[in-house]
Amino acid sequence: MTHSSRFSSSRFTWPARLLHWSMAVLILAMLPIGAAMVTSLGHYHALVALHRPLGAAILVLAIVRLAYRRRHAPPPLPADLPPWQQRAAHASHVALYGLMLALPLVGWGMLSAARYPVALVGPLVLPPILPGSPALYATLRGLHTVLAYALFGVVLAHLGAALMHGLIRRDGVFTSMASWRVGSGRG
Ligand code: HEM
Ligand code: HEM
């Protein structure tokens, strides 16, 4: 009953898939790097020095991805997917995009408020985006933690939904993102 087949342009285009998977790797690395920074005493500086440029890369890629998405609409979800699941998919994607933009901006903003230089690689240093303020730093530092946990939660739900599509419904949603072949047609 649930094995609806999806024909024309049933896959994300290859640039959309490349962006999805490279960002998934970056984000899945950032969560434990951030957690290790605040829980272990060792390697703090090396970890933060990695955390800043990876976070900045996520911000740039998220903007590129949203701009690309406006011109290349994603494939539609299967018509027989219950409406609440369509809404949940949409809401979770909005949350994922929002958090991919908000977390790096809050990270950048909190270091600006702490008057701490946001050094990326080599001589590349981002300018402050907020005035120096200990109170603002404290608020944004707390927000960064809350948003990181929220992202982790939504990623877990997303993973569960992807596996539900791939293993139980087998409705083509999983392969629309997980197929390796170049091109965007039937796969
Ligand atoms: C998607 C991007 C990002 C993710 C997923 C992420 C995730 C995290 C996580 C999980 C923590 C530990 C939070 C805690 O337990 O309190 C953390 C801390 C931190 N993050 Fe991020 N972060 C991101 C982007 C950034 C960016 C762009 C910057 C700076 C430019 C940044 C700067 C920091 C700093 C300074 C800390 C705390 C270090 C400390 O207080 O010891 N983050 N981040
Ligand atoms: C940090 C990890 C991840 C993030 C931030 C993420 C984010 C996203 C976003 C924002 C979309 C919506 C794309 C769009 O409509 O423009 C999406 C779609 C998708 N993702 Fe992920 N993803 C992650 C990991 C994964 C993993 C590990 C899997 C598979 C096990 C996966 C499978 C899929 C699938 C199948 C779709 C297509 C859903 C649809 O057609 O509506 N994702 N992902």
Side-chain angles (χ1 to χ4, degrees):
M1 99 223 176
T2 53
H3 295 248
S4 65
S5 51
R6 300 192 309 155
F7 294 111
S8 61
S9 71
S10 59
R11 289 195 294 153
F12 282 82
T13 63
W14 70 264
R17 281 179 275 136
L18 187 65
L19 281 163
H20 175 269
W21 291 110
S22 50
M23 290 195 74
V25 169
L26 286 174
I27 290 169
L28 291 176
M30 281 298 269
L31 292 167
I33 290 173
M37 273 160 31
V38 290
T39 50
S40 87
L41 295 174
H43 313 294
Y44 178 81
H45 289 286
L47 289 171
V48 192
L50 192 60
H51 194 83
R52 287 187 308 255
L54 290 187
I58 290 170
L59 179 61
V60 172
L61 288 172
I63 293 167
V64 168
R65 187 165 165 192
L66 281 169
Y68 180 85
R69 191 184 199 274
R70 283 174 70 99
R71 293 165 145 266
H72 303 265
L77 286 167
D80 67 352
L81 195 67
W84 73 267
Q85 288 185 28
Q86 308 246 9
R87 282 196 298 273
H90 178 71
S92 64
H93 295 166
V94 170
L96 286 167
Y97 279 117
L99 290 167
M100 286 190 271
L101 294 169
L103 259 162
L105 285 174
V106 171
W108 184 0
M110 82 196 192
L111 292 182
S112 306
R115 298 192 187 171
Y116 192 86
V118 188
L120 299 182
V121 277
L124 200 61
V125 181
L126 292 179
I129 47 171
L130 289 175
S133 152
L136 196 55
Y137 166 76
T139 307
L140 294 176
R141 179 67 189 83
L143 187 61
H144 196 71
T145 305
V146 171
L147 294 182
Y149 279 118
L151 178 61
F152 188 53
V154 186
V155 166
L156 284 184
H158 181 70
L159 190 75
L163 293 179
M164 184 273 287
H165 284 287
L167 300 174
I168 299 170
R169 282 184 53 99
R170 298 191 202 163
D171 55 7
V173 170
F174 183 79
T175 39
S176 74
M177 187 58 94
S179 143
W180 300 113
R181 275 186 245 163
V182 175
S184 57
R186 281 177 75 174

